[in-house]
Amino acid sequence: MNGKKSWILLPFLLGLLFVVNLGLGSVNIPPGAILSILTGHESANPVWHDIVWDFRMTKALTCLLAGSALSIAGLQMQTLFRNALAGPDVLGLSSGASLAVSLVFMSQAAGLHLFSTPGPWTVAGTASLGCFGVFFIVILIAQRLRDNTSLLIIGLMLGAATSSLVSVLQFLSKPEEQQSYMLWTFGSLGRLNWTEIKVLTIILVSAGLMTLFSTKALNGWLLGDHYAQSIGINLNRSRFIILFSTSVLTGGVTAFCGPIAFVGLAVPHLTKLIVKTHNHKILIPAVAVAGAALMLFCDIMTQLPGQAYVLPINAITAMIGAPVVIWIIIKAKRLAV
């Protein structure tokens, strides 16, 4: 498929999934009514207008933001480390957020007694601190290491260490505290209000623009450190910018939506099947659109027909992402033979 056809396909698919996502739920709304509501025309049923704008629109926009951010972050990590299995959480950022949030919900187990009834902003702020705490550790280590592979391994070990601390807190905590934490780890796209949407948009758009300014560096990293340096790229500075933007993208989504797995790992590979290029000037926007579309599709799959409740988003992303990872491994093995 050539570039023009792929760019027609991706936005069309995104728009279609966006309309379908707004229409599905405990109350099904026809696509025609959705389009009338979005264009400001009078709807046949005034209740549908309130359902779309007061409940479903925020969730759909969260899908767009989270899917795009995680996909861009995953693309950057796969390019920087030149590893097809690198994802946005490869640096241990999501694990750092999970540790911080576990202290919010299970602080009594640690003997801290920090919060009695933590609110959404408390959880979001704490998760952000956890992400950036791990990020600064990674940056301190990165200043001493020039080898990206070693940095990748250290990130994975930081993730394992923080996960072990969470396991200790879970063992010591009460069942109701464990339940609150587990519900957060399932991920959620439907609990943000308009104020939180605006804050998340500012955070993710800022990091996304930073990524666009790094396209030359990302293209250079594809062919290795020496090539990147030969075309005038400052390796330390570009690596810091890439790591920082990835941390903001991953940390912002994790703070407001919880840890969402597999999207950032799978989407760059799926996008490259449609957009046949390695140029990041094209890949970054393509991956952003594809990630938003995939997240909308996953959210649609969580909707149980005729039911008021939905499945955890992480359960669906794992069902889609795990086969992609298996396919990546098999394909890499075939190429190596």
Side-chain angles (χ1 to χ4, degrees):
M1 183 176 294
N2 61 44
K4 291 183 179 180
K5 289 184 178 179
S6 61
W7 273 113
I8 293 173
L9 174 63
L10 287 176
F12 174 78
L13 180 64
L14 178 63
L16 177 63
L17 290 172
F18 188 78
V19 173
V20 173
N21 185 273
L22 291 176
L24 292 181
S26 56
V27 176
N28 288 330
I29 304 175
I34 294 293
L35 293 175
S36 297
I37 293 170
L38 294 178
T39 54
H41 293 87
E42 290 294 330
S43 173
N45 189 340
V47 177
W48 291 350
H49 183 278
D50 296 333
I51 291 174
V52 169
W53 286 107
D54 295 340
F55 298 100
R56 296 184 184 175
M57 183 61 72
T58 53
K59 185 176 68 168
L61 291 176
T62 303
C63 289
L64 296 180
L65 293 170
S68 298
L70 292 176
S71 301
I72 293 173
L75 175 65
Q76 289 192 109
M77 290 297 93
Q78 290 170 12
T79 300
L80 178 64
F81 294 115
R82 297 195 296 280
N83 188 324
L85 296 177
D89 56 349
V90 73
L91 299 176
L93 302 173
S94 297
S95 298
S98 298
L99 176 59
V101 172
S102 69
L103 289 173
V104 173
F105 290 118
M106 301 180 289
S107 59
Q108 293 184 6
L112 300 175
H113 305 282
L114 295 176
F115 305 99
S116 55
T117 55
W121 284 104
T122 301
V123 174
T126 308
S128 300
L129 290 175
C131 279
F132 279 97
V134 173
F135 167 71
F136 284 121
I137 294 174
V138 170
I139 287 300
L140 289 175
I141 296 173
Q143 291 178 347
R144 298 177 175 272
L145 292 176
R146 297 183 179 274
D147 182 13
N148 286 336
T149 303
S150 299
L151 184 62
L152 174 63
I153 296 173
I154 289 172
L156 294 173
M157 293 304 101
L158 286 173
T162 53
S163 296
S164 66
L165 292 175
V166 172
S167 298
V168 172
L169 287 174
Q170 287 180 300
F171 179 78
L172 298 174
S173 63
K174 298 177 181 179
E176 58 271 19
E177 295 172 338
Q178 293 182 24
Q179 184 180 25
S180 299
Y181 172 72
M182 288 301 296
L183 289 175
W184 179 80
T185 61
F186 288 155
S188 177
L189 299 169
R191 59 188 175 205
L192 274 67
N193 57 39
W194 283 107
T195 301
E196 292 166 332
I197 288 287
K198 291 176 183 177
V199 173
L200 182 60
T201 301
I202 294 172
I203 293 172
L204 298 185
V205 169
S206 300
L209 290 175
M210 193 180 304
T211 301
L212 288 175
F213 288 124
S214 301
T215 52
K216 181 181 178 181
L218 289 167
N219 286 334
W221 283 109
L222 281 174
L223 298 177
D225 300 0
H226 296 296
Y227 176 79
Q229 197 168 18
S230 69
I231 61 175
I233 295 174
N234 186 313
L235 297 183
N236 290 331
R237 184 176 62 187
S238 63
R239 182 164 61 169
F240 173 83
I241 294 173
I242 292 170
L243 292 176
F244 180 74
S245 61
T246 298
S247 300
V248 174
L249 291 168
T250 307
V253 173
T254 305
F256 286 95
C257 307
I260 298 177
F262 284 107
V263 174
L265 175 59
V267 170
H269 297 286
L270 295 174
T271 305
K272 290 174 185 177
L273 292 176
I274 301 174
V275 182
K276 305 291 186 178
T277 182
H278 292 286
N279 186 352
H280 284 75
K281 289 183 179 180
I282 299 174
L283 268 181
I284 290 172
V287 162
V289 174
L294 181 65
M295 189 65 80
L296 284 169
F297 175 75
C298 290
D299 187 59
I300 290 170
M301 296 298 292
T302 64
Q303 309 282 341
L304 296 177
Q307 301 293 329
Y309 56 88
V310 297
L311 295 173
I313 187 65
N314 264 335
I316 305 301
T317 56
M319 289 181 188
I320 296 174
V324 174
V325 174
I326 295 172
W327 170 74
I328 293 169
I329 295 173
I330 294 175
K331 182 180 178 181
K333 188 67 176 178
R334 286 178 177 176
L335 292 175
V337 174

